[in-house]
Amino acid sequence: MSADRVLYLDHLASTPLDPEVLDAMRPWLDPAAVGNPHAAWHRPGWRAAEAIEAARAEVAALIGARPGEILFTGGATEANNLALLGGIPAGWPAIASAIEHPSVLACLPELAARGHRTATLPVGPDGTADLDALKTLLAGRPALVSLMAANNEIGTIQPLAEAARICAEAGALLHSDAVQMLSTGLVDIRALDLAFLSLSGHKLYGPMGIGALFVREGTSLRPLLHGGDQQEGRRAGTLPTALCVGLGAACRIARQRRSADAQRLTALRERLFSTLQNGLPELRRNGSSDHGLPGCLNVSVPGLDAADLLLDLPDLALSTGSACSTGSPEPSHVLRAIGLSPEQAYGSLRFGLGRGTTEDEIDRVAARIAEAIRARDRG
Ligand code: PMP
């Protein structure tokens, strides 16, 4: 099957590289672009360093930060680990919402092993964090709190501004995994007064293998990696010029496009939901319909084995949960946290719409899914 026949609705797992991003990266993939960006004694090194600093400024501009507050990382998994493991002050507790990405949640047992108290923040039935529970957990004392801007499985957008106010009152540091938010939504670091924010290239129509961590000026951070003084020793390792330039270009384009993309994708998402619902009246929508990512629709169909269905439809690129948990026999921790039974979780499908998604694709995918499910019911 040729790749061009695949109907790609898995943009929450990964977005395609924007052709303009590729154009920006190309000169830095050419053999003529030799030069370690940290080489201080020659022009090729300076040129690469200049390109990287311009890219850092673009990343900063996307979230309203200063360039010096941006650290390039190998992706958001690393950025999340760096924020939690490197950003927590000695003796402070850590609190993370129950529906965080595994790259946040898996830091909690590691922090517990290092002597920190840890707690998970419950979420309501639509995935919104319980902020009264946050107040109770904090009890007016400082902690490192991790609350994602938007969830990667059900799309719920969190009330970050309110969470930030509660954290500020308790003297807590707030980290937000904003990986899914930034291609269609605004996160203004100054208005929210976040201490840390993570982002990833391949969720922003940029390259895979690059991400960034925002670290508020004056916030202390212990490095995870040792053995180099790059990025002021806070993240050791030679920076990949082409990937940094690609992330910078992706952030510049996202800044220009995000509000128009958000409007278009919201309309497409609602069209997809109502078309699916017409064919499958027993459908249940997971997540928040008022505060949801424009490009995310998550639904459950009673009695469906979603993984089995998708194996029968290999030219439809969808997901049954998060790609990161594929292969795990456990139902999605996100769907379980919002109260779904394991059976309901196994019967859930995630549609990730993106810049290239068309009305025609939406109609085709809805018709094929509804038909395939009805055929199973008949069989
Ligand atoms: N956080 C969220 C919300 C994600 O969706 C992902 C990717 N699935 C990550 C973190 C990890 O990002 P990366 O692939 O850049 O390591």
Side-chain angles (χ1 to χ4, degrees), residues 12-14 73-80 99-104 148 150-153 177-180 198-203 207-211 322-324 350:
L12 297 158
S14 199
T73 63
T77 298
E78 184 191 334
N80 285 341
I99 60 169
E100 294 298 307
H101 187 265
S103 57
V104 167
M148 67 204 321
N151 183 263
N152 51 306
E153 294 191 40
D177 172 345
V179 162
Q180 297 292 348
S198 308
L199 59 92
S200 174
H202 73 114
K203 315 284 178 156
M208 288 178 168
I210 183 89
S322 92
C324 307
R350 179 188 71 174

Side-chain angles (χ1 to χ4, degrees), residues 73-302:
T73 63
T77 298
E78 184 191 334
N80 285 341
N81 272 259
L82 183 55
L84 272 90
L85 303 179
I88 192 163
W92 280 32
I95 301 170
S97 94
I99 60 169
E100 294 298 307
H101 187 265
S103 57
V104 167
L105 288 178
C107 291
L108 295 184
E110 178 58 32
L111 286 170
R114 297 180 191 184
H116 296 270
R117 278 189 299 117
T118 63
T120 41
L121 178 63
V123 298
D126 70 355
T128 305
D130 180 343
L131 296 186
D132 288 332
L134 177 60
K135 279 186 207 153
T136 309
L137 283 170
L138 284 169
R141 288 189 296 273
L144 175 63
V145 177
S146 190
L147 179 60
M148 67 204 321
N151 183 263
N152 51 306
E153 294 191 40
I154 54 174
T156 302
I157 295 174
Q158 296 295 350
L160 267 190
E162 225 178 309
R165 264 194 304 277
I166 294 168
C167 287
E169 273 166 27
L173 294 174
L174 180 59
H175 162 252
S176 188
D177 172 345
V179 162
Q180 297 292 348
M181 186 72 175
L182 296 173
S183 64
T184 50
L186 185 70
V187 176
D188 181 345
I189 223 86
R190 297 289 161 227
L192 295 170
D193 199 23
L194 295 176
F196 304 104
L197 175 143
S198 308
L199 59 92
S200 174
H202 73 114
K203 315 284 178 156
L204 268 174
Y205 304 85
M208 288 178 168
I210 183 89
L213 180 68
F214 158 84
V215 184
R216 187 172 60 209
E217 204 170 271
T219 308
S220 71
L221 185 79
R222 281 179 315 284
L224 293 185
L225 307 178
H226 304 275
D229 59 6
Q230 295 92 349
Q231 303 197 82
E232 299 171 338
R234 303 179 113 191
R235 199 282 190 173
T238 304
L239 284 174
T241 310
L243 296 181
C244 294
V245 166
L247 180 61
C251 288
R252 176 173 47 74
I253 296 166
R255 196 149 48 96
Q256 294 157 355
R257 293 193 55 139
R258 62 188 163 194
S259 84
D261 282 353
Q263 245 183 351
R264 200 182 72 87
L265 291 180
T266 302
L268 285 178
R269 182 194 68 200
E270 291 312 304
R271 182 183 180 104
L272 176 59
F273 179 61
S274 56
T275 317
L276 280 170
Q277 206 177 25
N278 284 342
L280 301 162
E282 68 280 24
L283 202 73
R284 171 203 153 108
R285 186 171 188 163
N286 299 317
S288 164
S289 38
D290 302 330
H291 300 288
L293 278 177
C296 179
L297 178 68
N298 190 310
V299 295
S300 298
V301 183

